[in-house]
Amino acid sequence: MKNEAKIPVANPRTGKVDFHITPASLDDVKTECQALRARQSEWSQLTSEHRANILLKLSATIAKHKDELIAALAADTGRYGLSILETDGVAASIKRWIKTVEAMIVPYEGRSSSLPFITYAVENRPYPLVGVISPWNFPLTLALIDAVPALLAGCAVIIKPSEVTPRFAEPLRQIISEIPQLDAVLTVVDGAGETGSALVDNVDVVCFTGSVATGRKVGEQAARNFVPAFLELGGKDPAIVLESADIDRASTAILRGSIINTGQGCQSIERVYVHENQFDDFLDLLVTKAKAVTLNTPDIHSGHLGPLIFARQAEIIQSQIDDAVAKGAVVHTGGKIVNAGGLWYPPTVLSNVSHNMTVMTEETFGPVLPVMPFKDNDQAVTLANDSVFGLSASVFAADADAAIAVGRRIEAGGISINDAALTALMYEAEKNSFKLSGLGASRMGAPGLLRFFRKQSFMTNTADIFTIQQFDETISKPE
Ligand code: NAD
């Protein structure tokens, strides 16, 4: 049984609605979750090697249906090259998790140091059912980023992708259906907020990626259910270019780290602080490089930047630029929506900015680079930390140790040194989100898998047991 009301989906390249989804109802979600939970027990009893082999089949089946998946992702997002990278990235992530899984989940045994006659063994018990709620900016990557380690851990998984980019779900469901053992424990449902909320009421763990506003609702709902929620939320990532930095390298890295995927990335560089002695030269380089970037319109197979995936984002970006300009910011390049049916936004470099402008305080989620000078490291750190967000940051210096020393003072989880936004390119380095950027164990590195287990310990007494008489209140009476 499905909800009657269909959800219209606009095409980011044309701006026209050309797709609909029928959201899963609360009853659909409940029924599906019960079925997944019932089948999870068998899945969890397979060896991890067996589960790994089934995940490898997922990788092979994605490769077989690559063209359909890429076409759907390209329609969802309006960009083609990154859709190929997203699809190829799934296989890479499966291989990476498999390589480390055995070492991570070995049970361990020991003996109590205070009571040496008690031995113990600790085992991992996977949570039965993990719910994944994902956003629209990297639809496939973020639907599977938590699902793959959860499945390897022995959990069943239900995924609800964003209603803004739902086209890839159908080819993904087709791929999953070709692997019956996986199909039994992995479901993708369509829907918007209501369906997402139904997931939170029916799963044992929630992995949520999205905005702070929704993350807060999800976190509160999960807490009421006593269900752990791992929240991966927004950012306003700063880049700091110290006086000693190679500004050619820094400007190239910061440009890429800011505008890739048209800036629609949680880890996008959204604020740039440059030492005052390098400021003018850095700005010149950045503006020159930004002007050389092209949009992928009218041809999806040319240019660097795709359209804005979610049209409403264009209003947010433009209102931030307009606010900045009204308060004295200078636009060096870009600064205006390009309407070609869909909405594109060119790389935009601003100077003469300050922290009373929304472009310096609120998440932009667009290819916008406001650049501000600083006098010394203390001021750079103060400016970088003047934010409600703490996702990641970048620091550039001639000497990596000098950059790391500044990085240690930044309230953010992932610090890229002499490059920008490296968390988008690699997944091994553990990191937590600081401040409003999220909550819960690291998605990267070993905890990304270990968070799907509860520990269960078996404690065995091999000697005489204690009697209640040994705990008699009278014997503890002071003389
Ligand atoms: P969003 O919060 O609007 O939606 C995210 C998901 O939540 C969607 O699937 C949506 O349908 C669902 N949802 C909405 N209301 C819900 C509710 N009440 N209960 C349960 N689910 C609900 O976010 P978005 O606009 O799709 O994504 C952009 C945001 O995601 C940005 O803030 C970005 O920074 C963030 N993001 C964070 C990371 C990270 O790793 N930290 C990665 C990518 C994106």
Side-chain angles (χ1 to χ4, degrees):
M1 185 191 20
K2 296 264 188 179
N3 274 344
E4 287 309 309
K6 291 192 168 193
I7 298 175
V9 186
N11 184 311
R13 295 192 68 79
T14 63
K16 300 216 165 69
V17 170
D18 63 2
F19 195 82
H20 288 84
I21 52 169
T22 308
S25 71
L26 309 191
D27 282 345
D28 292 336
V29 171
K30 192 171 177 184
T31 307
E32 191 54 38
C33 287
Q34 280 166 350
L36 284 165
R37 203 178 262 109
R39 296 188 292 252
Q40 178 267 344
S41 161
E42 199 178 325
W43 175 253
S44 71
Q45 284 163 30
L46 301 176
T47 62
S48 53
E49 193 183 5
H50 195 148
R51 285 196 293 271
N53 283 333
I54 293 168
L55 266 294
L56 285 174
K57 278 190 200 158
L58 173 63
S59 174
T61 315
I62 286 177
K64 191 172 110 192
H65 292 287
K66 200 173 159 174
D67 292 347
E68 296 101 282
L69 197 51
I70 291 169
L73 276 172
D76 271 334
T77 60
R79 51 17 177 211
Y80 192 76
L82 286 176
S83 301
I84 298 174
L85 286 180
E86 277 202 78
T87 306
D88 291 344
V90 178
S93 96
I94 290 172
K95 284 191 192 117
R96 193 177 57 244
W97 280 117
I98 289 174
K99 225 167 102 185
T100 41
V101 72
E102 291 291 352
M104 273 181 216
I105 63 173
V106 279
Y108 61 91
E109 292 179 1
R111 185 178 290 275
S112 163
S113 57
S114 54
L115 301 169
F117 46 91
I118 298 182
T119 59
Y120 65 87
V122 180
E123 295 180 12
N124 294 304
R125 291 279 167 268
Y127 284 96
L129 180 57
V130 175
V132 173
I133 302 170
S134 51
W136 47 260
N137 57 323
F138 283 99
L140 180 67
T141 307
L142 294 168
L144 293 180
I145 191 168
D146 300 314
V148 167
L151 287 162
L152 278 172
C155 312
V157 177
I158 182 165
I159 302 171
K160 192 212 75 68
S162 169
E163 69 278 18
V164 178
T165 51
R167 297 170 183 82
F168 78 99
E170 198 43 49
L172 182 59
R173 276 192 283 262
Q174 175 60 36
I175 286 163
I176 295 166
S177 75
E178 292 184 20
I179 313 160
Q181 272 180 300
L182 189 64
D183 199 27
V185 288
L186 176 60
T187 295
V188 183
V189 291
D190 291 329
E194 215 175 286
T195 309
S197 170
L199 250 70
V200 182
D201 277 343
N202 285 282
V203 299
D204 305 298
V205 175
V206 180
C207 292
F208 172 83
T209 309
S211 62
V212 173
T214 314
R216 202 185 286 278
K217 286 187 209 160
V218 167
E220 286 173 0
Q221 191 183 341
R224 278 197 299 277
N225 295 341
F226 281 73
V227 159
F230 301 112
L231 307 178
E232 302 280 350
L233 311 177
K236 187 76 196 167
D237 287 0
I240 296 179
V241 182
L242 297 177
E243 188 175 12
S244 66
D246 171 348
I247 54 169
D248 187 32
R249 179 185 175 96
S251 55
T252 298
I254 289 170
L255 182 69
R256 186 211 73 231
S258 169
I259 69 170
I260 193 166
N261 201 32
T262 318
Q264 303 162 121
C266 56
Q267 75 300 318
S268 291
I269 298 292
E270 296 207 352
R271 300 177 284 152
V272 188
Y273 303 105
V274 184
H275 190 275
E276 59 186 6
N277 291 347
Q278 296 256 48
F279 185 83
D280 290 343
D281 293 341
F282 176 90
L283 190 60
D284 283 349
L285 279 170
L286 188 65
V287 171
T288 304
K289 290 174 188 181
K291 282 182 174 166
V293 173
T294 55
L295 308 179
N296 78 347
T297 179
D299 182 3
I300 192 171
H301 297 291
S302 72
H304 305 106
L305 300 191
L308 296 170
I309 296 168
F310 189 38
R312 245 179 281 158
Q313 198 63 35
E315 291 163 33
I316 297 171
I317 298 170
Q318 198 59 52
S319 78
Q320 290 188 7
I321 304 285
D322 293 347
D323 168 72
V325 169
K327 290 172 180 162
V330 176
V331 179
H332 296 269
T333 183
K336 288 257 176 302
I337 296 169
V338 175
N339 189 333
L343 304 177
W344 276 256
Y345 214 94
T348 297
V349 180
L350 304 174
S351 70
N352 207 29
V353 290
S354 66
H355 281 209
N356 69 348
M357 300 171 180
T358 53
V359 78
M360 296 302 280
T361 54
E362 293 176 11
E363 190 175 44
T364 307
F365 229 52
V368 179
L369 289 138
V371 193
M372 201 174 161
F374 64 84
K375 282 185 190 315
D376 56 28
N377 291 2
D378 287 349
Q379 193 191 13
V381 169
T382 303
L383 287 167
N385 287 339
D386 181 24
S387 173
V388 295
F389 296 104
L391 193 66
S392 36
S394 302
V395 187
F396 294 82
D399 168 13
D401 287 342
I404 289 171
V406 170
R408 284 198 183 100
R409 300 170 63 194
I410 297 177
E411 294 158 2
I415 312 290
S416 299
I417 301 296
N418 286 332
D419 201 343
L422 286 175
T423 52
L425 304 180
M426 44 112 36
Y427 296 88
E428 288 83 358
E430 286 178 38
K431 67 168 191 82
N432 293 108
S433 300
F434 290 27
K435 304 198 235 176
L436 294 191
S437 289
L439 194 67
S442 173
R443 162 189 272 176
M444 312 289 190
L449 189 141
L450 295 174
R451 67 198 160 131
F452 296 117
F453 292 122
R454 287 163 298 183
K455 295 285 178 192
Q456 189 173 43
S457 58
F458 299 90
M459 292 147 286
T460 308
N461 183 355
T462 55
D464 291 342
I465 51 169
F466 296 112
T467 67
I468 188 64
Q469 284 71 24
Q470 287 168 280
F471 297 91
D472 191 335
E473 289 291 312
T474 56
I475 59 171
S476 52
K477 187 176 169 194
E479 289 303 314

